[in-house]
Amino acid sequence: MNPSPHILLVDDDVELAGMLRDYLIQEGFAATAVHDGEAGVAEALSGHYAIVVLDVMMPRISGIEALRRIRAASSVPVLMLTAKGDDMDRIVGLELGADDYVPKPCLPRELAARLRAILRRTQQSGETTGGAPLVIGALNVLPEQRRVEWAGAPVDLTSTEFNLLEILARNAGRPVSKSDLSELALGRPLARFDRSIDVHLSSIRHKLGCLADGRSCIQTVYRQGYQLIRE
């Protein structure tokens, strides 16, 4: 029997963090809560957690700075808790490598669903979609190992970035809609005005190399979505 995924909650609201922790435990997770950014970074980098839930607004160091420090040393999935309607924190968090976000106040059931979606794609990608490498020009996607190489060099992607690139690689040469990308990579419907997919793909473009003509291998197809170019 597989052990329960261990969730780290980092939120200075002790009552809320305790409530979320208790709910997640009832839902079959293991969960630990800490209440400031410094402690959150130390715990996140301990290697003991399957995913981190990180509040943006915290004392000592903010969630954004905590995320920056985590991403400098770890690819552990991170789900941000952001103030409702605060698009700037949301976009900055995604640009720094957050896998997804949930606006506060959030329903515990929604948080659990988002966590399961991220963990399912992280842990079962190779099992559910097949493990054969996907080679498109200089790009090599290794689903079973959740690794990506460009021209033989490793590319450091977050869990969600890997999910998106794998989907595009499996559909190379044809566009994939943003709604399909959101459902398949994030495990949730695309919300109106949601820029998460755009921000994640912008980050992937920066991390990958260019084609011989200087273009990105990921192209925007007007009114259809995004497409990985076959060379």
Side-chain angles (χ1 to χ4, degrees):
M1 184 174 180
N2 292 329
S4 300
H6 199 165
I7 313 301
L8 175 64
L9 297 164
V10 188
D11 195 323
D12 65 314
D13 186 329
V14 176
E15 184 176 353
L16 174 63
M19 182 267 290
L20 292 175
R21 180 195 61 216
D22 292 345
Y23 181 85
L24 292 174
I25 290 172
Q26 290 176 7
E27 288 293 299
F29 296 98
T32 298
V34 297
H35 306 299
D36 67 77
E38 294 276 8
V41 171
E43 284 295 313
L45 296 180
S46 70
H48 296 155
Y49 300 94
I51 193 167
V52 178
V53 179
L54 185 60
D55 187 27
V56 169
M57 299 298 294
M58 288 187 297
R60 299 180 68 181
I61 64 171
S62 71
I64 295 296
E65 178 58 27
L67 175 62
R68 193 190 312 274
R69 296 186 189 183
I70 291 168
R71 276 291 167 262
S74 173
S75 60
V76 62
V78 176
L79 179 72
M80 300 292 291
L81 297 178
T82 64
K84 190 170 185 178
D86 194 338
D87 291 336
M88 185 55 67
D89 279 343
R90 192 169 300 160
I91 291 170
V92 170
L94 293 172
E95 288 177 339
L96 289 175
D99 290 273
D100 203 357
Y101 66 88
V102 174
K104 293 176 74 175
C106 66
L107 295 174
R109 183 170 60 182
E110 179 187 6
L111 178 62
R114 294 286 187 91
L115 291 171
R116 286 195 178 97
I118 294 172
L119 290 169
R120 182 167 57 248
R121 289 293 302 174
T122 301
Q123 296 170 349
Q124 299 179 357
S125 176
E127 298 173 14
T128 58
T129 58
L134 306 168
V135 181
I136 301 95
L139 178 67
N140 187 18
V141 179
L142 304 161
E144 286 190 341
Q145 302 171 44
R146 292 187 65 81
R147 288 196 301 110
V148 170
E149 298 173 348
W150 180 269
V155 181
D156 186 19
L157 299 179
T158 68
S159 173
T160 296
E161 288 170 354
F162 179 88
N163 296 343
L164 286 165
L165 187 57
E166 181 188 1
I167 293 163
L168 291 175
R170 292 186 181 280
N171 292 275
R174 57 184 185 268
V176 183
S177 70
K178 286 175 62 176
S179 60
D180 284 347
L181 288 169
S182 185
E183 289 275 7
L184 293 168
L186 275 63
R188 60 177 173 83
L190 182 68
R192 193 178 183 188
F193 306 123
D194 188 346
R195 294 183 56 196
S196 301
I197 299 297
D198 307 296
V199 176
H200 285 306
L201 287 172
S202 175
S203 176
I204 296 170
R205 282 169 165 156
H206 284 298
K207 292 178 179 182
L208 295 179
C210 294
L211 301 174
D213 59 8
R215 293 180 300 160
S216 168
C217 64
I218 298 175
Q219 294 293 303
T220 303
V221 182
Y222 183 61
R223 291 188 175 179
Q224 295 187 60
Y226 290 93
Q227 175 178 316
L228 184 68
I229 294 176
R230 282 192 177 278
E231 293 185 272

